[in-house]
Amino acid sequence: MKYVIFIPDGSSDLPIDELDGKTPLQVAETPNIDKLAQNGFGGFTNNVPDGYTPGSDVANMSIFGYNPADYYTGRGPLEAGSVGIDTKPTDVIFRCNTITEKDDTMEDFNAGHITSEEAAVLMDALNKHFTEKYPGFKGKFYAGISYRHLFVYSCDDEDDADILANLKTVPPHDISGENLTEYTTWDDDLAVKMRDIMYEAQEVLKDHEVNRARISEGKAPANMVWLWGQGLTPALPDFKETYGLTGAVITGVDLLKGIGIFANLDVIDVPGATGFFDTDYKAKGEYGIDALKTHDVLFIHIEAPDEAGHAQLIDEKVKAIERIDEFIVGPIIDSLAGQDFKAAILPDHPTPISLGTHTRDDVPLVVYASDKTGDECTSFDEEGVKTGSIEKQEGYKLLSRMINEF
Ligand SMILES: [Zn+2]
């Protein structure tokens, strides 16, 4: 038996006036997905446990078969995993933005989209400063893409690591223009140390030649770092041991690659998979077909509909769904013809055009099994699955339900 789970990120939506009260999933021409819906089972699911923000990391962890309430430790750790940073159980992994600070406020959470090359020089300068000034310094900066970096702090023991991991930190993009000191009013010694690191980094960065050059070119300087999204290395049980099946992931998004790596799934890189509208849909479909020749389970995730939702572009969202149908769902289902297989299609969370951001609402779900007659559901969208027979349960149960119930 083969299993394929299609994840058009953020594709579900609310009714849109410009679409005569319909949603992008309803108006998109999707003959292949329609076939799965008409011969499969429909219903709703929810991938975001209570108390969690509806991020793609949390929601996709559910779809990959792991309950975020048990295993989600933060965004930083997943990104560290995706770029191969090896961490110990007492390490706390922070996301580290290079930001522009002005008059003690968050002037720009991405420092004018600083280039990766410039940021790498700044991260080097910080590592050099801290290790020279404080021999045995326990922190290390890791340069990433543009303004998105990581900071790993190696704690002495698990108690310290727990304190840091549970520290209340704030995503920098949520506090644009706000006073920074209000978000670092920590009193624990170790927490104060993190605040000191941010402000000491500011002393190193503000007059750095990279920033002097940026200022002279009229660009925003990366004159401070902001630590957030931290957590411990997640202890995801091995996918194969958990489900007795081999699995692969195809995605253009680092956070999801990180989940795959920690679950010991094979993460397959596809040339041209950008995580944006311009992604190479056809290449993803082809790599998906190959992955299913050598794996029992394939998770194939496409970020484009979510990006269109954030950008509030109706046409781009509809187009992304249609391309997923034509170049990914169609070819992969065709390649499985004559074999026993089960397929599911669902978004991780809605990203409604009208809101431009994620919601925690239920998402439509279709499950198709090649050896079963489905229910009466007509199409894969917010209305079409309403007549389906799938009972709503927690999202992380989907895979075991596919294995055992369909
Ligand atoms: Zn998402």
Side-chain angles (χ1 to χ4, degrees):
M1 181 68 72
K2 299 283 182 183
Y3 300 85
V4 54
I5 294 98
F6 300 101
I7 312 166
D9 197 304
S11 55
S12 59
D13 214 301
L14 297 167
I16 297 174
D17 288 346
E18 289 90 328
L19 298 178
D20 294 330
K22 292 202 158 72
T23 67
L25 280 177
Q26 283 180 291
V27 302
E29 299 272 342
T30 53
N32 298 297
I33 296 172
D34 291 349
K35 238 181 279 170
L36 289 180
Q38 284 152 15
N39 297 296
F41 303 85
F44 289 93
T45 188
N46 197 306
N47 299 309
V48 184
D50 285 345
Y52 286 76
T53 44
S56 292
D57 44 3
V58 167
N60 281 286
M61 186 177 274
S62 284
I63 298 178
F64 288 15
Y66 296 94
N67 186 355
D70 292 335
Y71 299 113
Y72 183 76
T73 61
R75 190 181 179 109
L78 293 176
E79 295 197 7
S82 76
V83 292
I85 298 172
D86 212 3
T87 51
K88 299 191 300 294
T90 50
D91 288 348
V92 180
I93 307 132
F94 291 80
R95 268 293 313 275
C96 169
N97 277 44
T98 41
I99 63 163
T100 307
E101 178 274 352
K102 194 178 173 197
D103 304 329
D104 214 18
T105 66
M106 182 71 69
E107 173 83 356
D108 187 350
F109 71 86
N110 61 45
H113 287 277
I114 188 168
T115 67
S116 304
E117 292 72 22
E118 289 170 311
V121 174
L122 297 178
M123 294 293 116
D124 275 351
L126 291 178
N127 283 327
K128 187 162 179 290
H129 168 82
F130 283 104
T131 51
E132 283 179 0
K133 187 165 170 195
Y134 308 102
F137 183 65
K138 293 182 190 135
K140 187 170 179 189
F141 293 89
Y142 291 87
I145 308 288
S146 181
Y147 60 91
R148 297 187 293 267
H149 315 287
L150 294 165
F151 176 72
V152 178
Y153 193 83
S154 299
C155 291
D156 291 331
D157 53 45
E158 284 178 17
D159 289 346
D160 278 0
D162 265 345
I163 291 171
L164 268 198
N166 291 309
L167 192 63
K168 173 107 181 85
T169 57
V170 186
H173 47 267
D174 286 351
I175 53 169
S176 290
E178 294 189 44
N179 189 290
L180 297 179
T181 46
E182 287 169 28
Y183 295 99
T184 52
T185 54
W186 308 313
D187 45 23
D188 178 87
D189 285 354
L190 203 50
V192 169
K193 199 177 271 182
M194 298 305 115
R195 180 170 66 215
D196 290 347
I197 290 170
M198 290 196 255
Y199 282 97
E200 190 162 336
Q202 188 175 24
E203 294 305 311
V204 178
L205 297 179
K206 66 181 185 190
D207 295 320
H208 193 282
E209 58 186 14
V210 165
N211 281 326
R212 285 208 302 268
R214 285 182 67 79
I215 291 166
S216 72
E217 291 161 16
K219 295 174 183 165
N223 58 10
M224 191 171 169
V225 292
W226 189 255
L227 303 179
W228 63 287
Q230 82 281 9
L232 304 171
T233 305
L236 290 190
D238 183 276
F239 184 85
K240 184 153 189 268
E241 282 172 19
T242 306
Y243 291 102
L245 300 167
T246 57
V249 181
I250 291 179
T251 176
V253 172
D254 278 351
L255 279 171
L256 272 68
K257 289 182 186 178
I259 301 171
I261 286 166
F262 284 119
N264 210 12
L265 289 155
D266 285 332
V267 177
I268 296 170
D269 282 316
V270 177
T274 59
F276 205 59
F277 316 140
D278 60 356
T279 198
D280 189 339
Y281 297 85
K282 192 156 173 279
K284 281 181 110 158
E286 288 165 359
Y287 275 71
I289 290 170
D290 279 347
L292 279 163
K293 289 177 186 157
T294 48
H295 297 82
D296 303 315
V297 182
L298 171 65
F299 298 97
I300 184 160
H301 165 265
I302 310 94
E303 175 75 356
D306 177 67
E307 295 291 337
H310 286 295
Q312 302 189 290
L313 297 172
I314 300 169
D315 289 351
E316 286 292 351
K317 191 161 186 183
V318 172
K319 236 189 293 173
I321 295 164
E322 291 179 342
R323 286 177 180 151
I324 290 166
D325 181 82
E326 180 178 0
F327 296 113
I328 297 177
V329 178
I332 289 178
I333 297 301
D334 286 349
S335 79
L336 293 170
Q339 295 184 58
D340 280 338
F341 74 96
K342 297 177 185 178
I345 181 161
L346 74 163
D348 46 351
H349 52 73
T351 309
I353 292 272
S354 58
L355 305 175
T357 191
H358 305 178
T359 69
R360 52 186 315 112
D361 295 340
D362 295 347
V363 292
L365 162 71
V366 158
V367 177
Y368 168 88
S370 60
D371 58 353
K372 296 248 171 30
T373 311
D375 53 32
E376 299 289 302
C377 116
T378 51
S379 55
F380 168 66
D381 57 55
E382 302 80 352
E383 284 298 317
V385 300
K386 278 186 177 166
T387 53
S389 61
I390 299 178
E391 178 204 346
K392 190 185 129 187
Q393 292 184 11
E394 293 99 321
Y396 75 90
K397 295 180 179 164
L398 172 64
L399 184 60
S400 52
R401 295 174 82 191
M402 282 177 75
I403 294 168
N404 300 311
E405 290 177 27
F406 292 97

